[in-house]
Amino acid sequence: MNTRYLVLEDGSYYEGYGFGSDEYQIGELVFNTSMTGYQEILTDNSYCGQIVMMTYPLIGNYGINRDDNESVRPYVFGFVVKDCCEEPSNFRVEETLDEYLRNVHIPGIYGVDTRAITRKIRSIGTLKASFCNTVEEIPSLVETLKAADFLHDQVARVSTKNVYPIPGRGKKVVVMDFGIKLSILRELAAREMDLIVVPYDTDASTILNYHPDGVFLSNGPGDPADLTGVIETIRQLIGKVPMFGICLGHQLISLACGAKTYKLKFGHRGGNHPVVNLSSGKVDITSQNHGFAVDIDSLDDTDLEMSYRALNDGSCEGVRHTKAPCFAVQFHPEANAGPQDSNYLFDEFIALMEGEKANA
């Protein structure tokens, strides 16, 4: 076991043991409360630029397999756990968590007090963090952390560079890829949608030239306000084609309609977040992963109305356009890993496209 230190920008540090890679980067330290699904979390592109800490203590006990990835490669900058299982037991296991992280060049640390670190983040908010191997390195690393900025180009890093199709016999949908999870594509494809996946910076005219029945805006990492060009593209598309957004897509639709977003103190990341449907009163338990939210008060001067609200902190979890065929949710209805209470939203997207076609 090799000693490794997790160092935070406030000067605190935690001694543990290293696993995975020894290629360190500065990232935003966030926590996830899910009890399962660490492989899906590691490969979720929405974590680009972040060091992820799991609050559930035992991680790695069912290993890593080829089927549960949410992207071709992971973009997390580090992984923090209490206990790392070295001998996983699962009929699908192909490699240990340690072996996987080594192969994809992601550093990890175990043996630290994840409960204490989580309480710190909940108290003062997310912090920049990194790793080092000796106590002597810590003072200079703290100064480096204080001077560093958060990334602002995450979507450009994780979005597809080329247009590609996923053929189907149903509705033609252009998917704007901001860092899309593979399970979202599976849900769309399972409903036989004829998908055309395009890079994040594709302009409105190019999208409309595909003559889509709908446009889907994916999840993705970072501050939505950084994507000014994308916001203008969405503004040009609203009202011309039915639209459905998830997570970052929800925030971008809101910004395109004139609302504002803000950074949450420590974000929503986990598979146990209750949200209430404001039209039906039904509560869904949802999977979430986001650090920004839509300002509810800013919706007053827009054509959007809030459709879902978080029961934990009262924040906005969904919007619906009052004049155009457009809706979005902050949570993840595909829910890999997580509860599938809100999976029906993909069917609502189809109904929206069918209704618009009937009206036309």
Side-chain angles (χ1 to χ4, degrees):
M1 294 186 296
N2 60 307
T3 300
R4 181 171 291 174
Y5 295 91
L6 172 67
V7 183
L8 279 54
E9 66 174 300
D10 67 349
S12 60
Y13 63 92
Y14 301 84
E15 180 179 347
Y17 303 103
F19 71 107
S21 170
D22 58 1
E23 302 170 50
Y24 306 153
Q25 298 186 76
I26 293 174
E28 179 185 20
L29 181 63
V30 300
F31 65 85
N32 187 297
T33 59
S34 296
M35 296 175 67
T36 62
Y38 54 82
Q39 181 174 342
E40 292 90 336
I41 290 165
L42 280 168
T43 54
D44 182 349
N45 286 335
S46 294
Y47 285 110
C48 177
Q50 296 177 326
I51 296 173
V52 179
M53 178 174 61
M54 303 298 296
T55 61
Y56 188 72
L58 180 59
I59 301 298
N61 52 312
Y62 53 85
I64 299 289
N65 66 78
R66 70 182 68 182
D67 298 323
D68 291 340
N69 289 332
E70 287 295 340
S71 63
V72 175
R73 55 154 291 190
Y75 283 89
V76 299
F77 281 9
F79 202 43
V80 181
V81 301
K82 172 61 175 168
D83 294 310
C84 178
C85 179
E86 298 178 354
E87 298 181 1
S89 176
N90 186 284
F91 73 97
R92 296 192 302 159
V93 65
E94 295 172 347
E95 57 186 338
T96 67
L97 177 60
D98 180 29
E99 292 168 339
Y100 173 74
L101 292 181
R102 288 179 185 272
N103 291 334
V104 295
H105 310 289
I106 295 173
I109 188 172
Y110 72 94
V112 296
D113 189 344
T114 53
R115 179 178 174 84
I117 303 171
T118 300
R119 288 171 64 88
K120 175 190 286 284
I121 293 175
R122 285 182 58 89
S123 174
I124 65 177
T126 59
L127 296 165
K128 288 170 286 186
S130 190
F131 305 100
C132 67
N133 297 327
T134 65
V135 174
E136 289 74 20
E137 299 173 76
I138 293 174
S140 62
L141 180 54
V142 170
E143 293 305 312
T144 301
L145 289 169
K146 290 179 179 179
D149 189 13
F150 292 114
L151 296 180
H152 295 281
D153 65 342
Q154 297 99 309
V155 170
R157 296 186 184 207
V158 302
S159 175
T160 181
K161 302 300 185 288
N162 302 297
V163 178
Y164 64 92
I166 303 177
R169 297 182 179 275
K171 299 295 184 184
K172 178 182 284 188
V173 174
V174 171
V175 177
M176 296 188 73
D177 176 13
F178 306 124
I180 194 166
K181 293 174 65 178
L182 294 180
S183 55
I184 292 178
L185 291 174
R186 294 188 197 105
E187 290 292 344
L188 297 172
R191 290 159 175 81
E192 299 186 338
M193 295 187 203
D194 184 19
L195 305 177
I196 301 172
V197 185
V198 301
Y200 79 101
D201 55 355
T202 304
D203 59 63
S205 60
T206 300
I207 291 172
L208 293 174
N209 283 340
Y210 288 113
H211 303 289
D213 296 303
V215 172
F216 176 82
L217 308 180
S218 84
N219 64 292
D223 185 346
D226 289 335
L227 300 172
T228 53
V230 176
I231 294 168
E232 179 57 32
T233 296
I234 296 169
R235 187 178 292 119
Q236 296 171 19
L237 291 172
I238 291 175
K240 295 181 180 178
V241 61
M243 189 175 294
F244 175 32
I246 288 176
C247 200
L248 181 62
H250 156 80
Q251 298 164 8
L252 292 171
I253 285 174
S254 300
L255 289 170
C257 292
K260 298 178 181 178
T261 56
Y262 64 97
K263 187 170 185 177
L264 294 164
K265 187 174 184 180
F266 48 82
H268 298 170
R269 298 175 181 90
N272 56 353
H273 290 263
V275 302
V276 59
N277 184 326
L278 297 179
S279 61
S280 69
K282 177 185 175 183
V283 173
D284 291 339
I285 304 300
T286 66
S287 175
Q288 300 198 13
N289 171 21
H290 61 103
F292 290 82
V294 174
D295 184 343
I296 294 175
D297 293 336
S298 71
L299 296 174
D300 293 342
D301 297 325
T302 72
D303 290 324
L304 298 175
E305 60 182 9
M306 186 165 61
S307 55
Y308 289 85
R309 182 191 290 270
L311 291 181
N312 286 340
D313 63 6
S315 60
C316 177
E317 289 285 346
V319 294
R320 186 175 297 275
H321 205 287
T322 58
K323 298 178 181 177
C326 173
F327 73 104
V329 294
Q330 182 65 76
F331 48 90
H332 284 260
E334 85 289 346
N336 275 12
Q340 298 182 334
D341 296 21
S342 55
N343 192 261
Y344 60 86
L345 288 166
F346 293 104
D347 299 315
E348 287 193 3
F349 183 37
I350 293 178
L352 184 69
M353 290 186 286
E354 291 178 341
E356 190 67 11
K357 187 173 183 178
N359 292 337

